[in-house]
Every structure is written in C-alpha cells, then in structure tokens.
Amino acid sequence: MEKERGRDKEMAAFLIKHHLEQLRSIILSSDPRLHYPLHVDFAELMEDNPPLAHLIFEHPKEFLPLFDDSAVWAQKVIFEDFKRMENASIKAYVHVRINFSGSPLEYPETFPSIGRVRVKHRGILLTLKGTVIRTSAIKMIEGEKIYECRVCKHRFKVYPEVETRNSTTRPTFCPSQNCESTRFQIIEERSICHDYQEIKIQESTQVLGVGAIPRSIPVIMKDDLVDIVKAGDDVIVTGVLTAKWSSDMKDVRCDLDPVLVANYVRRMNELKSDVDIPNDIILKFKNFWTDFKDTPLRGRNAILRGICPQIFGLFTVKLAVALTLIGGVQHVDASGTKIRGESHLLLVGDPGTGKSQFLKFSAKLSNRSVITTGLGSTSAGLTVTAVKDGGEWMLEAGALVLADGGLCCIDEFDSMREHDRATIHEAMEQQTISVAKAGLVTTLSTRTIVFGATNPKGQYDPDQPLSVNTALSGPLLSRFDIVLVLLDTKNPQWDAVVSSHILYESEQQKGNQDESLSDIWSLTMLRRYIHFVKGYFRPVLTKEAEKVISSYYQLQRRSATQNAARTTVRMLESLIRLAQAHARLMFRNEVTRLDAITAILCIESSMTTSAIVDSVGNALHSNFMDNPDQEYAKQERLILQKLSCIDDFPEIDTAEG
C-alpha cells in the first residue's frame, strides 16, 4: 500500500512538472461528468523517471489505473491556484493516454505487425499499426463496482473482465489484511458507466511479406477514445493485449480470441501529407520553376518524365495521370450544391500497352489508395457490406469508401458485371454512396478519384463510338473526364525505339538516387510535389481561359454525332477541372490560355472523332517533344483558328509575325 502511495506521488509530480497546462485546461473545463484525456509522451517519461516508465510498460494493467488516479490527485494539489475562477472543478474521470512515437521502444518487439502478435505480447503495453476496416455502434457498459465489507466496512473496487465479456465477478474474500469476511454489499449509488466501442484493424498491405494474407485484430475503445476513427483510417493504437472467449454458439468450439484494449489512438491520415514536405523541398520547387521561367512547358515535361519512367514515351497518358491525381477545385454554390473537384480517368487499350503499370504507379503516388480488379469486385465489395456480428447488423467499408480522399484503381473494368458497375455511378458524380441494407439507412462520402483500365471489346474499330468498342454504357463514360485509347498498331520505327529503351533500362545499374530536380524526378519527390500543389494552390479562371473553354464546348456540341455520350455538360466541368489541375501542375494560382488549351488537347485525345485536329492521335505513340514550347505555339494557333476566336487574341498574330 505504501509503495502504491509512493508511486502515486511520483506520477503526480511528473504530471505537475511536465503537463501543468493540460491539467489547467481540464480543471477549467465546464462539464465534470465528461471523460478527459491527458496525453503523455513515453519518451519524456523514460527520460524523467526510467523505473516508473519500465513498470508502466511491463505491468500496464496495474499501473495505468494508478496513473489515472494520480491525475486526479495532481488536480487537487494545484487546485488552490484556480479556485476563484469560473467553472473550476476537480474532474474525477481523467485518463492518461501514453504516446509511444519517438520513444526508444519503437522496435519490432513492442511494435509488431498484427500478423506477428503472439502470447508473449500479452500483458505488456503494445503498439499496433493498421487500417480500420470496421467500426461498431457505440454502446454503454457498466464499469467498476464498489463493494463494502459488512464486517470491517472496508470499501474496494472490482473491475469487469474483458475475458468474460465485461461481466463483474462477485468478490470471495476481503482485501484488507486483518479481515476474513466473505460477506459484502454493493454500493449502488457509486456505480460508473462507460462509453464502449469495438473496431477492427487490419495490417496494411504495403508491409506484408511474400504470400502473406493481411490479418486483423479487434480493438476495444472506451470513454474519450470512442468515435474518433472511421472505416478507412490508418491508425496507430497503443494498448494492452488480452483475450476474450468467443461467443457461445451451438456446435462451435469456444476459443480465446486476442483483443487489444486501447489506451491511445492516433490517426495517421493528417500526418502523411504534412510530414513529407520540409521547407527546403518547397524552396527547391520554387527554384525549379524560376529556372524554367522562359520555357515552362519544358519544366512541366521534366516532371512528367518521372511518372512511370520504365515506360517509354506515352506523353499524353503521363500528362493525363498527373492531371487526374492533382485534380481541380471543388465548387460549392450558394444553395450548397457541390461540383466535384476530383477527375476520373479511363484507359482503354490493347494488351501490353502498360495500363496496369500506370495504375500501380498512381497508387504509389497517392497517399490513400485501393487497387481492385473488375472480376473480383462485387457491388457490395466496392461500396459497403452489411455484416452480422454478435447478433446485430453493422456496415463494413468497401473499396470506394476506404479510398475516400484518395485513389481507387479498378483494373479489368470491362469484366465487372453490369449491375455492379452501376453502383459506382453515384460514387463518381455525387461523391456519396446511399445505403439501405438490413435496416441500416445511411449515406457515406466517397471523395475519391476513380482510375479504370479496360481492354476493348474484340478488335478496336475507330469508326464505331467508344460505348460500342468498350461495352461500357454512355452514362458511365460521361463521368470519366479523360478516356484514352491505346492502340497497338504495328509501327517499325516505334518498335525499334521502344525495344532499345527497354534493353537500356535493364542494363543500367541503379546508382544512388540524389534529390536533384534536373534529372528524372524520384517517386518521393513526385509525391511531395503533388501533395504540395493540391494543398497550396486554388486556381481561378481568367477571361481568356473562359473564352477558349466556352468556344470549344459550343463547337463540340454542334459537331457531336458519334460522341453524344461524352459531349454533355459534364464535359464542360471536366475542361474546367483539367485546366485548374494543369495550372496547379505549372505552379500557378490562375488558369491561363495555356492551361485551357492543354485541357482541350487532353479531351481531344479521348475523342474517337475529333472536332478540331483532323487526324485522331493514338495516345500510345505520343512522345516527349524536344522543343515543347515552340510546338505548343503551333498547336495554339491551329486550335484558336478552328474555334474562330483567333481575333480575340491579337498578340498571337504579332508573335507569329
């Protein structure tokens, strides 16, 4: 008992010394019935009091409740200073949450992957990393009960056991030293209830070994931890590993299932994009664009070369991938109607044209991504599944919900069943999924980029519209901002160049990759660049860009015979999104004529019959130009002439002259 009191004082002294500000805000909070977290860094505790840190790590079941009690005791010590302030009161429900990140204990023994959790980890403070795949409803459970001995009147707490599904066993003996009584009475008015939620986390596929299947583990969250994560979040959970008996069902063997009782939960979604971009990298980006001030398109092409460097050429596809990943600006009007900012991309191509390579590379560039194939995807797997768990129904997130705020890649798009394909209509345009399953009626948000790849149906026929060649419906095709067709036509010069590039790639030994931007950009640099421009720039259309986009849209509407499914109002919105994405790619905050014309060229390459360029370009044979800026000047003049708005831009004639 004396030892415990000593430990209590040590813990309270540590909290007063290092976390006075947190204690102060808890004392001054208005509601005394709430549960308050008090965040402690384990590294700080280790530095200040190593024996205490070791005890908390080795015996968390005993010492974490003591730490919570010492937080209440610490409030009493410093309460005198705040007595006169309004709302000041000592809060009885304070929970010390221990954060392991940055501490010396970040090694595989205490930080195992979920699949490597074993019996030896039971009873210590364990940290696991994974993705939330299921969250249950929030329930209320009865917490610790207070019993009083009828002989010596000693009062003590009895805690519910996780092993027996949170039931409290009646005490059999009195814990005070000189009493041998076996008769107790419960103090009813002192019973405490807790908020309670179970979530399931699964190890992320990036860290798995060869041939391993991702494992999952249930996590119990209580009090202030409930409802802070949702399905699809990447989390780090610190807690105590214990086990509980599986539910008793007829003819099913009863097992002990591992379960983690959480002490601290941290979401990693917000951290990903912030941590990656230091100030010196941002300075590098700015200097890069200063160097290419006079030839901006050459600078843009230097960035695009870093996308899928193992594939030769395919300039149009690389530009389309970059614009899709960067995306436009979401527009919300006065009535609250949203026009999405995310673009969608569909690659239609013959076998061996590198479609899946682009999908895999895009998934690496995005901070949240899910890859799935058409044949293995049902409508429930893409949206949400209703699952029965312990007698009640709950929703489990599918691919589109898990990829919320990121990228969902669907390979072999054509092999999906028709009714399964129809479920993603709402997710692509309205960016929500409405569910009415098993008595659960709800709407989930899916602000995701859809990146599809498909083979043409049989031999691609250029005379037929896209919906016939791909067997995809018109409404679905109109939702894709860019649809690129990659045809494997036999071209001897192209084949010679590509084969030499592939052989050169396999010969070349990988040297040390420096972070210079003059050469091909590395994957980490591209990731950082895309994150930075998405968060930093909110481009606005100029009058010039508006004029060009409007003229092109009207021309397409007049000449749309074969592409009726594509030339809808959605095409106008796509043009605006792509122009904004190009402005972001070019490190600018305004959409100029250059961006509008690049957006037009992207849309043009996705048309089967072009309204402007006489020959339909095959995206497969598009290559990087030696002088992109001069080439652009020619294309701009040609497009403006076709749009009959060259007179609106007299500076072009003078430049040509």
Side-chain angles (χ1 to χ4, degrees):
M1 208 70 179
E2 286 302 313
K3 257 187 182 178
E4 276 191 12
R5 283 214 184 102
R7 294 274 176 233
D8 253 7
K9 284 183 179 171
E10 276 181 52
M11 291 169 177
F14 167 78
L15 292 174
I16 292 166
K17 183 180 172 186
H18 293 279
H19 298 279
L20 191 63
E21 199 54 46
Q22 281 192 66
L23 286 168
R24 180 177 179 274
S25 66
I26 289 170
I27 287 172
L28 296 178
S29 296
S30 55
D31 195 342
R33 292 169 302 171
L34 286 180
H35 291 257
Y36 293 92
L38 200 155
H39 297 288
V40 171
D41 279 338
F42 193 78
E44 203 172 46
L45 183 61
M46 196 97 172
E47 202 176 288
D48 190 82
N49 194 336
L52 180 62
H54 193 261
L55 280 170
I56 287 173
F57 172 70
E58 288 288 340
H59 309 286
K61 264 192 172 172
E62 294 167 42
F63 285 94
L64 283 175
L66 278 180
F67 218 158
D68 292 354
D69 294 342
S70 66
V72 179
W73 203 69
Q75 289 179 74
K76 289 174 183 170
V77 173
I78 61 168
F79 186 65
E80 288 298 316
D81 306 339
F82 307 107
K83 209 185 241 176
R84 301 182 192 286
M85 292 191 186
E86 196 184 345
N87 290 335
S89 62
I90 292 168
K91 308 298 185 291
Y93 310 122
V94 180
H95 305 283
V96 175
R97 305 292 179 204
I98 294 175
N99 179 7
F100 263 89
S101 65
S103 74
L105 284 173
E106 277 195 273
Y107 60 87
E109 231 6 73
T110 59
F111 224 129
S113 63
I114 294 170
R116 294 184 180 277
V117 172
R118 300 288 181 267
V119 174
K120 64 178 179 179
H121 295 120
R122 191 176 177 180
I124 62 166
L125 208 55
L126 187 70
T127 305
L128 298 176
K129 202 184 218 174
T131 308
V132 181
I133 57 167
R134 186 195 293 184
T135 56
S136 74
I138 295 167
K139 299 170 187 166
M140 197 196 293
I141 61 158
E142 205 170 18
E144 56 269 28
K145 290 179 180 174
I146 297 172
Y147 282 92
E148 184 180 74
C149 174
R150 288 192 169 166
V151 177
C152 65
K153 303 296 180 196
H154 173 66
R155 288 188 175 188
F156 56 94
K157 287 180 181 176
V158 177
Y159 291 91
E161 293 178 5
V162 177
E163 283 92 336
T164 56
R165 299 193 161 261
N166 296 312
S167 60
T168 313
T169 50
R170 195 175 177 82
T172 52
F173 62 92
C174 180
S176 69
Q177 290 171 345
N178 304 323
C179 179
E180 293 179 0
S181 167
T182 54
R183 293 184 304 126
F184 309 98
Q185 67 179 23
I186 191 165
I187 312 292
E188 284 292 341
E189 74 272 7
R190 296 289 301 275
S191 67
I192 298 165
C193 285
H194 298 276
D195 290 323
Y196 174 92
Q197 184 186 26
E198 281 192 31
I199 66 168
K200 204 171 198 180
I201 61 170
Q202 178 180 294
E203 57 192 324
S204 53
T205 45
Q206 281 89 355
V207 296
L208 286 180
V210 181
I213 295 168
R215 308 282 179 204
S216 59
I217 190 170
V219 178
I220 291 173
M221 323 250 269
K222 286 185 187 172
D223 303 321
D224 55 295
L225 294 178
V226 299
D227 222 16
I228 61 170
V229 296
K230 59 181 190 301
D233 286 342
D234 292 325
V235 291
I236 294 177
V237 184
T238 303
V240 185
L241 184 73
T242 178
K244 75 172 176 185
W245 289 103
S246 55
S247 55
D248 44 342
M249 291 164 71
K250 195 181 176 185
D251 299 334
V252 177
R253 199 176 74 184
C254 214
D255 288 325
L256 272 172
D257 298 328
V259 62
L260 190 75
V261 182
N263 169 263
Y264 174 73
V265 178
R266 184 174 57 147
R267 286 176 63 193
M268 288 155 61
N269 303 31
E270 300 98 11
L271 307 174
K272 260 189 181 173
S273 48
D274 299 345
V275 174
D276 286 348
I277 311 166
N279 286 334
D280 58 324
I281 299 288
I282 296 170
L283 198 65
K284 262 188 185 178
F285 294 152
K286 288 179 178 169
N287 293 340
F288 171 81
W289 282 107
T290 314
D291 297 344
F292 285 102
K293 201 174 179 183
D294 302 325
T295 54
L297 291 179
R298 191 182 282 268
R300 178 199 69 185
N301 288 5
I303 298 172
L304 294 182
R305 278 177 208 275
I307 294 176
C308 252
Q310 73 272 23
I311 293 178
F312 176 76
L314 267 70
F315 164 73
T316 314
V317 186
K318 291 182 180 182
L319 177 62
V321 168
L323 295 186
T324 306
L325 286 172
I326 290 170
V329 181
Q330 189 186 39
H331 174 66
V332 184
D333 65 9
S335 66
T337 310
K338 289 179 184 173
I339 295 172
R340 64 184 162 97
E342 284 77 17
S343 304
H344 304 306
L345 170 64
L346 179 67
L347 295 180
V348 182
D350 293 331
T353 47
K355 300 186 297 296
S356 299
Q357 294 271 6
F358 279 112
L359 252 70
K360 293 274 192 296
F361 195 84
S362 306
K364 286 180 195 166
L365 283 177
S366 180
N367 64 337
R368 244 180 122 163
S369 60
V370 175
I371 299 181
T372 168
T373 55
L375 203 60
S377 305
T378 60
S379 56
L382 282 172
T383 54
V384 284
T385 321
V387 185
K388 199 164 192 179
D389 184 37
E392 63 172 296
W393 287 95
M394 60 172 69
L395 293 176
E396 200 163 286
L400 286 167
V401 181
L402 290 176
D404 184 24
L407 175 74
C408 181
C409 300
I410 306 173
D411 208 349
E412 310 293 344
F413 204 72
D414 53 330
S415 59
M416 280 171 72
R417 287 183 290 278
E418 186 58 45
H419 73 275
D420 293 338
R421 222 181 283 141
T423 55
I424 64 173
H425 282 204
E426 184 194 359
M428 285 174 75
E429 194 60 45
Q430 278 72 41
Q431 299 202 311
T432 56
I433 286 175
S434 305
V435 188
K437 293 184 180 184
L440 302 162
V441 181
T442 181
T443 303
L444 302 164
S445 64
T446 55
R447 297 176 300 277
T448 174
I449 301 164
V450 175
F451 192 160
T454 174
N455 292 321
K457 189 183 169 192
Q459 187 67 39
Y460 190 90
D461 184 1
D463 300 329
Q464 293 290 341
L466 206 55
S467 53
V468 174
N469 276 309
T470 56
L472 297 177
S473 61
L476 186 58
L477 281 175
S478 71
R479 283 170 164 79
F480 283 104
D481 295 48
I482 309 175
V483 181
L484 291 180
V485 180
L486 305 171
L487 297 180
D488 193 5
T489 52
K490 312 293 183 285
N491 184 332
Q493 289 92 13
W494 177 259
D495 293 345
V497 174
V498 169
S499 57
S500 63
H501 171 80
I502 292 170
L503 292 167
Y504 172 72
E505 279 280 313
S506 59
E507 282 170 21
Q508 207 175 16
Q509 292 295 317
K510 277 203 169 181
N512 54 342
Q513 281 195 337
D514 60 335
E515 289 288 284
S516 89
L517 302 182
S518 53
D519 205 26
I520 288 179
W521 284 36
S522 67
L523 177 72
T524 45
M525 275 313 241
L526 271 171
R527 268 189 75 150
R528 285 170 170 173
Y529 185 75
I530 288 171
H531 280 314
F532 179 69
V533 295
K534 273 175 89 167
Y536 190 72
F537 294 109
R538 314 272 302 166
V540 182
L541 266 77
T542 57
K543 286 275 178 271
E544 285 186 348
E546 279 181 17
K547 175 77 182 153
V548 173
I549 288 173
S550 169
S551 307
Y552 175 70
Y553 173 65
Q554 289 167 32
L555 180 67
Q556 277 288 12
R557 289 288 286 175
R558 284 198 298 273
S559 62
T561 50
Q562 277 198 302
N563 293 311
R566 297 274 295 131
T567 50
T568 59
V569 180
R570 285 189 183 136
M571 193 181 96
L572 182 61
E573 289 170 4
S574 298
L575 281 164
I576 295 167
R577 271 193 293 273
L578 294 172
Q580 287 172 336
H582 193 261
R584 278 175 167 174
L585 177 63
M586 302 293 281
F587 219 69
R588 283 199 309 263
N589 235 336
E590 61 172 26
V591 180
T592 61
R593 194 170 67 229
L594 163 72
D595 304 318
I597 285 173
T598 310
I600 287 172
L601 287 169
C602 263
I603 294 272
E604 276 297 303
S605 51
S606 71
M607 289 290 173
T608 41
T609 54
S610 173
I612 290 183
V613 189
D614 298 327
S615 61
V616 184
N618 182 1
L620 186 69
H621 293 170
S622 57
N623 205 349
F624 287 86
M625 309 285 179
D626 293 332
N627 285 319
D629 294 272
Q630 290 174 18
E631 196 64 37
Y632 165 74
K634 288 180 197 167
Q635 284 176 328
E636 180 185 54
R637 187 173 171 76
L638 171 75
I639 286 173
L640 291 177
Q641 276 174 342
K642 292 273 187 180
L643 293 178
S644 319
C645 58
I646 194 143
D647 303 331
D648 298 330
F649 307 109
E651 71 272 13
I652 291 178
D653 289 322
T654 54
E656 286 287 318

